[in-house]
Amino acid sequence: MTKWAHRFSAAAVAAVTITTFFPATAMSAVRSPAASPAREAASQARETASRFREAASPARGTAVNLKVTEKVRHSLADAYWTQYYGPNLRKHHPGTSRRKVDGPKKVYYGKVRSAGKDVYWAVGSIGVKGDPISYQDGPHVWRRSAHGAWSYRGDTGGCLDKAPRALLKLWHLRSYC
């Protein structure tokens, strides 16, 4: 807000904003018979801003928190081992086996239901015992479609853009991007 805007009422600021950025909306407010044009303009501004926010953010589906079972935890570790650690780093750490995978720990697990389909997500920390570098840049993200296998999406370095916002909000997690 500029230095002078605080001297005017909210309705006046809304009217100027509407007139400047949404002239068609402002004209419809002027044409409609209302008791207070400023109040009508403020209402139109709120309505337009609400529609703009809805249009700017795509539908994210319904987020549901789920309980992590040992079977899920084991599947996540398998996906990490086979899709990331195994093919990329085994040559640098010969003799390292799947049994050395440590975790995942502190796992957040849930699903997003959108368009009649469930997509499962997990966020947690994982590494390989004896390899301190493997514990860096977490948390890590996994994804699974309704009947598919887990896919390891990678580490995040704190930037959780790989996971759906609806679940991050449900889990009270912040993304540090």
Side-chain angles (χ1 to χ4, degrees):
M1 202 178 271
T2 62
K3 293 178 184 177
W4 57 268
H6 70 279
R7 296 181 186 168
F8 297 98
S9 70
V13 173
V16 170
T17 304
I18 288 174
T19 305
T20 304
F21 295 108
F22 307 103
T25 304
M27 290 309 294
S28 69
V30 170
R31 283 189 216 117
S32 65
S36 169
R39 192 173 294 158
E40 180 67 25
S43 173
Q44 289 285 335
R46 285 190 298 272
E47 190 175 285
T48 302
S50 174
R51 274 189 256 137
F52 180 76
R53 277 193 303 273
E54 289 172 8
S57 61
R60 292 180 178 89
T62 304
V64 178
N65 193 31
L66 300 172
K67 183 175 173 56
V68 181
T69 64
E70 283 306 311
K71 182 179 177 181
V72 168
R73 205 177 289 274
H74 186 78
S75 297
L76 296 174
D78 284 345
Y80 170 76
W81 174 253
T82 59
Q83 296 170 21
Y84 175 70
Y85 197 89
N88 296 327
L89 301 176
R90 240 181 261 159
K91 62 184 173 188
H92 300 294
H93 301 279
T96 303
S97 68
R98 162 63 180 87
R99 285 177 279 138
K100 288 193 173 189
V101 173
D102 184 25
K105 299 176 181 176
K106 300 177 188 171
V107 178
Y108 294 89
Y109 174 51
K111 70 178 178 178
V112 175
R113 182 171 195 78
S114 182
K117 296 180 182 178
D118 291 336
V119 178
Y120 295 84
W121 293 85
V123 174
S125 60
I126 195 167
V128 175
K129 295 172 189 168
D131 182 12
I133 293 175
S134 69
Y135 292 95
Q136 293 179 345
D137 296 331
H140 300 259
V141 178
W142 293 264
R143 179 185 185 275
R144 177 176 75 87
S145 61
H147 300 289
W150 283 102
S151 70
Y152 175 70
R153 308 288 282 195
D155 57 14
T156 63
C159 180
L160 293 170
D161 282 352
K162 295 177 182 180
R165 287 185 198 158
L167 279 173
L168 296 177
K169 186 176 180 180
L170 181 69
W171 295 330
H172 304 289
L173 293 178
R174 282 188 57 199
S175 181
Y176 296 95
C177 298

